[in-house]
Amino acid sequence: MTDLLDDFLIRATLAGIGVALAAAPLGCFIVWRRMAYFGDATAHAAILGVALALAFNLSIMLGTLVMALAMALAVSGLSGRGRAMDTMLGVLSHSALAAGLVAVSLLQGVRLDLSAYLFGDILAVGRSDLAVIWGGAALVIGLIWARWSALLTATLSEDLATAAGIDPRREQLILTLALAIVVAVAIKVVGVLLIAALLIIPAAAARNFARTPEAMALIAAGFGAVAALGGMAVAWNFDTPAGPSIVCVAAVIFAASTLSGLARRAS
């Protein structure tokens, strides 16, 4: 196993699969709640977290986790206060990204490859990064597994959840925490601009084949893992950027899933 992990391509592939497995079930809840922009806003805040981490000499992972969590909590707190949710998320998402890019440009004496954070640098994943990614993935999967029934009920109907003794706000906070963790561990794999795609596309593709919520989460995890493997194969054979290649393979899976669904409905 040690010899295998010395191969950068093996480490990169395992990192992609780890992120995909964590993102898939969480992405299902984002799709069910119609909160695609929620993932974007949280991911874009990570760039500001990178700038703050560098400014205060902190861990990049810690900086991105704190800012992603702060943005997710801000969005959760502002939701349901009379503003159009999609408009508010769009404003917060792009404002956070712009603020992060400006903050990075103001750092003195720091040389930073922004493209690695915007689009990912999966081929540079080391053993410690791999441990953090799989540890974060295990934490997210554990959170969702433990709260699956409550999360599902709160997603279906807040009134039904309240009647069943479930606090919808608490379940929202659990999703918020899980999303922040996924953003923090995924930034090195696909970058902030593509994290939302990895959350949403496999879940959306799985919807055409699933008969139950549990099946959709499992199928989404499978599609995410296939996208990670396929994207790495494309990147290796055609010398393309690995993160965007993973998302492109996921998009192909979604297109095939959509066509298959249309064919089944037409027959």
Side-chain angles (χ1 to χ4, degrees):
M1 184 67 176
T2 301
D3 293 337
L4 279 176
L5 292 181
D6 287 334
D7 189 327
F8 75 94
L9 195 60
I10 297 294
R11 292 196 304 269
T13 303
L14 288 174
I17 293 173
V19 169
L21 293 179
L26 184 59
C28 290
F29 283 102
I30 290 176
V31 168
W32 292 329
R33 289 172 177 247
R34 298 180 181 177
M35 293 179 66
Y37 248 136
F38 185 75
D40 259 336
T42 306
H44 287 177
I47 283 291
L48 188 54
V50 170
L52 292 176
L54 292 172
F56 293 100
N57 198 26
L58 301 172
S59 161
I60 296 292
M61 183 73 69
L62 178 62
T64 54
L65 178 60
V66 168
M67 284 309 303
L69 184 57
M71 173 61 79
L73 289 172
V75 171
S76 296
L78 290 172
S79 63
R81 296 198 175 187
R83 298 175 181 86
M85 191 64 175
D86 58 343
T87 302
M88 181 182 65
L89 286 171
V91 170
L92 288 174
S93 171
H94 299 299
S95 298
L97 179 59
L101 293 174
V102 170
V104 167
S105 71
L106 294 175
L107 293 174
Q108 299 295 323
V110 176
R111 297 187 64 183
L112 182 66
D113 180 13
L114 268 180
S115 65
Y117 292 101
L118 293 174
F119 302 106
D121 191 13
I122 191 173
L123 296 180
V125 168
R127 292 188 183 189
S128 59
D129 297 317
L130 200 56
V132 169
I133 287 169
W134 276 90
L139 182 57
V140 169
I141 292 170
L143 270 175
I144 293 176
W145 177 270
R147 302 299 304 169
W148 178 264
S149 179
L151 285 168
L152 203 57
T153 304
T155 298
L156 180 64
S157 168
E158 290 192 359
D159 292 336
L160 182 62
T162 302
I166 298 168
D167 183 358
R169 301 294 294 180
R170 181 184 60 199
E171 305 311 317
Q172 174 74 17
L173 285 175
I174 290 171
L175 281 180
T176 296
L177 176 60
L179 180 60
I181 294 171
V182 167
V183 168
V185 301
I187 188 171
K188 196 155 190 175
V189 176
V190 290
V192 299
L193 297 182
L194 301 175
I195 290 172
L198 201 58
L199 280 165
I200 295 163
I201 296 176
R207 185 178 248 176
N208 289 311
F209 297 100
R211 294 182 180 272
T212 65
E214 293 80 8
M216 181 170 163
L218 290 173
I219 294 170
F223 282 163
V226 169
L229 289 168
M232 290 305 303
V234 169
W236 178 258
N237 288 294
F238 299 99
D239 195 24
T240 55
S245 297
I246 291 172
V247 175
C248 284
V249 172
V252 170
I253 292 172
F254 172 75
S257 167
T258 302
L259 291 174
S260 174
L262 291 173
R264 286 201 308 273
R265 285 192 288 271
S267 61

